[in-house]
Amino acid sequence: MASNVIPWYKKKAVSQVKTDYAYHHSKHVVKQQTERKSSSRSVHQVQTQATEAMAEPAYTIPPSRQRAATETEEYQRVTTNVGKGLAVIQEELHRIRIATKAQVESIAIQKEVKNMMKKRGDLLEEIPKMPDFLVALRPHTVWEKTPVKLFCTVEGNPRPIVKWYKGGVPVDPLSAPGKYKIESKYGVHSLIISRCVVSDTAEYSAVATNQHGTATSKAMVIVKRPAGAGECCQLGLVPHLTEIHPSKLEITLLDRFPVSFGVEGSSIKLVCTMVVVPDLPNVPPLTQWYRDDKLLKPSKLVGMTVGGGAASLTLPQLAKDDEGLYTLRIFTKDGTAEHSAYLFVSDAPASVKGAPGAPMSVKAYDVNSDYVLVAWKPPNTVNEAPITGYFVDRCEAGTDTWVQCNTAPVKICKYPVDGLGVGHSYYFRVRAVNSAGISRPSRKSDKVTALDAAESERLQGTDEGVPSAPGMVVATRNTKSSVFVQWEAPKHLKNLMGYYIDGRVVGDKEWFPCNHKPFRHNRFVVHGLIPGESYVFRVQAVNIFGLSEESQESSPIAVEPALATPSAPYGITMLSCDGSSMTVAWKSPKHCGGSKVNAYYIDKRDADTLVWKEVNLAAVTERICTVDNLTEGSFYEFRIQAGNLAGVGVPSAPSAPMKCEAWTMEQPGPAYDLSFSEVRGDSLVILWKAPVYTGASAVSGYFVDMAKKGSSEFVTLNEEPVSHRYLQVTGLEEGHSYIFRVRAVNSNGVGKPSEVTEPVCAKALPGTTEIVAGVDEETGDVFLSFEACEICETSKFVWSKNYKPIGDCPRATVTAKGRTSRLTFSNPDKEDLGRYSVVVTDTEGVSSSHTLTEDALNTMLELSYAIRHPVVPLKHSLNYEILEKGHVRFWLQAVKLSPSVSYRFIVNDKEVTSGEGQKISHDVASGVIQMTVDHFTRANEGTYTVQINDGKAKTQSSLVLVGDAFKAALKEAEFQRKEHIRKQGPHFSEYLHFTVSEDCTVMLTCKVANVKKDTTFHWYKEDDEIVPETPPNVMSGACALPLPLFSRKDHGVYKAVLSDDKGKDTSVFDISGQVFDDIINALARNAGASASELVLQCTPEGIRLQCYMNYYTEEMKTVWKHKESKISSSEKMRIGGTAEMAWMQICDPSDKEKGHYAIEISDGVTTHTRTFDLSGQAYTDAYEEYLRLKAAAFAEKNRGRVVGGLPDVVTIMEEKSLSLTCTVWGEPTPEVTWFKNEQEVASNEHTRVTFDGGKFASMVINKVTPDDSGKYSINVRNKYGGEFVEITVSVYRHGEPIPEPKLGQPKTATPAAQPVPPKSPAPSKTPTPSKPQTPAQSMKSPTPASTPASTPAPKSPTPTPKSPTPPRSVKSPTPPRFMKSPTPPRK
């Protein structure tokens, strides 16, 4: 990049930016100093004039010029003064002569001394000497923010290398740019620290080193801070520095922003880093940014920052208006520093495919109170349809609403907008239209206020029509990724706005835009091109009426750097010396100048002279040369020049003096010509050439050493010497730089190391690709192919095997086309296995490698054979399938078939064709070839083959259909035939299967088809017909048989029969075995999902845990667990359930039964678990409730009661005897009391009351009379309670009709007789309680709350009229007779 500097105080008032359209560059203008001119004339001029004056001859004064006396006197006075002046001049001339002679003599003496000193120095240089400090470092104490300079003088032979250290750590100037400056001139070494801070206080040392030893000089630097300076620094105050002007700063640009590419709508940041001395926080550099020579100012669309060693420009919302050449100008102590680079902004993706890009540069002209003329620049259209017009939109300031101004597209790039409000402000934008759609809107214009203005900017130009096409377009080489394009201006400009440049790759039909904003000049640099690719260019002129016709295309040009002579070679090193000749080698120039280096010229000279002598007249093509006719013991220096098509470049720097002395060491000399290949982010390959000097024995291997850039600590990469001259280095850190050296080894030891390589960065080139192995689809050749990411005209592809160039080899041929090269094997086999690499010459290291393995080669050989001997590829080989009606289809499918395909079917070695009973066909689109056999019988057993011919490709596929395979196919075909016949009448489209409803009802369902109203449907189980409550409706297409409360009782074979006059069909479903298990699992799945949490229920027998669910049956896989242990049903732990719940009862619980309980319901897949923690307070409350219920049950069991024998109503004729006898029971034996009309009955002759054996109570009334009618009752009671039983007695007279009984059935009393003791009463069977609602978790028992007294009840006293007999249904404090026992029935 070029740099110019212009003194800031000489700048013109109007800012200008010089634009370089060839490529981005930096300009640094060096301040020009004017020399002072002396006002007096030189001594030589005076002397010459005086001599001429003295040489003039005398002459006679003419009368006309004779002077008067006064004039003569004045003349004499002047002449006298002139004479005195001449004398002074003569004296000065004499003094000058003497001074000049003395100066000449002094110069001669100095020259003689210099020559003598040089001879002395040459003598001293031959004497080895370790480093020695002539002037040592001295300590310094300085104030903060002031510089300090440490210097020393050191001597030694050879000349020592001096390194600086701070506190034992090397000083790195790059770690803090501008902080440290290290200089070395004429043996004086210095370290300058600018703007010291307190942290710079340390011991600094200079370490001088050569091959004979090391010397060190140390000094202490102390940096002090003035009193009170800390407070000032904390407040950010630097009172003495605020007066420094930014232009007084020394600024050096470091990293500069490159040519950049952006897209509409995105953002971009241009950054330029710098070193500022002094770097003052409150005095940042004075910077200016320009776009296309126009000064930019900070705004919402442009952000500028400077400070922290960088200046940046941020464009947050890119538009094509932002495209242009950006220049950063910084004012410095020496003038200005500038840097420029182009920013390209491409169109954002169109909202509609094919729509044009957005217009740009929208601006308002001719502003009036209600009228504005809006103008803009048209977008470039390359591959889109031509623009047919534009829409102009306006938006009033302060709103977000855009209003379209024109109803029809305007065809030119200007439009008058009227109807504006006086004093209102507006923004404008434009959208382009073509046949595909409407573009994205342009960037809005600046705010425009509609006011009458005496002067406003007017839109210039009255010529109508587009400009004529530009003239001849010429493209020339510029850099490896850009081309310089020039063209002739159009003959008719017509108010030209600029130009659009388009490019196209040679051979491609698609054009691409090179710029997206009209460019004013007729020269342009196209950036971002592919190196080595060839392009053509065209140009269009632009004005408000649109784009001109395209210019003629330029001649094709390859993207290559402009030709120049190569840079100087470097790294000259000696490889061998025999005492009279020396072999030297060198490294290639870093820049070849755009053309291949094809010549080297070597010069030599004695180290004692300054005269160079040519070594070779004819060019040397290799980078190694043996120089003969040298004097043993003398020192020689060499320099090299490289040449290419552009000429011979500058010579290299002289090499270090090399002594011509024969090498006699037994170890080998250094390897040379170290180079790199295949540089990637984590690896590279280093290559080298064998030493010229081998030593006393042949070279047997090499060691490779590596170190990071800036470090002298080398690490040997290989433990054992490698015999080949290359090594792949892995494990590198991406982005880091490394240096390498190589040491050769023979039987006598390790030789001298090679020259250290230049640092190489572990980073792949952009666009790097690798070698690809493949097979040519046309010829079947096996090849390796490589596409270079960059290339130039002189580049060549150099292929190697195991890093040895292949050259002309009969086993492989190399071809190249464009950026792609291919290595094709003629007859590949195991000899071709190995590592292949390719290097593209004249590039920045484009290379790659590929290891060809045996497996990969075999795979490619198989593919090659398939290509050379093509077959029709098949997706599916020959197969068969059974179709409806029992037809059999034989088919295969090819990947692809052409319309000209031919084929034939062969069955049992006989070709068959389409005919009766079989049909053969194919489909090109799907690739299917098929044969359908209508009637498949035993005669069709055998081998089936299909042979296909499609062009050159052939294939065949066979199917053997014999034995068991044929029997299975025949059976399936016969079944399908029968199925077809079955389906002609009523039939089951879906056979019987089961489903389980949400309420856990098992349904046997089926679907029927081809039925009618007369079709009958019957259900059977074990051949017994089942008549469901709802008759099946065959017309609905489905029938179902419900099996509620499914259990093992529903085992059996179920059958559904469907019949009518067209036929009959049967479906059988066997519910047993696995089917039964599947149904139970389905029920368990439903029940488990609906299961409630475990509920605690106390009973007189114990504590019960209940789980309510939709349905429960004991066949379900249900497991109860206590503390993770399975519970088996026993007298202690009883397990059971009802249809609504499962329960587990702990009988007579104790503390052992405390703990965690769970029920697991398994459906074969999922286990549903419900738990309850029976411990703590829960167990205590439950146990107390259990004891209460147990006591209540015991009382109920043992209370007094009437077991049986008494009627409800007795009707008897007078004069008869009435005997009321009953059996009573209670423990202890109860007391019995009889009542009549609520009055106790006493035993007498008429009424006799007896109670025998504590079980049989009776009351006998002899010869009843009507007075004996009434309500009788018996009260049976013991300490646990008792009950009343009432009997109504009606006495009628002889001859009267028997009265209707009021309660129960009429019953005639029997004469009194000796009562027969009945059998011991047994407790009645407790009925199963009905399903209750799922209760909440509670400790309360459903038993009634009344509790019998613990002591025997006293005998009831004789009732008074105020105490009527209790009604029959009331049972004195004892529990009611009809109370249901909570004890569950046993299973």
Side-chain angles (χ1 to χ4, degrees), residues 1329-1344:
S1330 60
K1331 177 182 176 182
Q1333 296 292 329
T1334 302
Q1337 185 167 332
S1338 173
M1339 298 302 300
K1340 291 192 176 180
S1341 168
T1343 309

Side-chain angles (χ1 to χ4, degrees), residues 178-189:
K179 176 72 174 178
Y180 302 104
K181 185 176 182 181
I182 297 177
E183 295 180 346
S184 178
K185 294 181 180 179
Y186 313 113
V188 178
H189 303 270

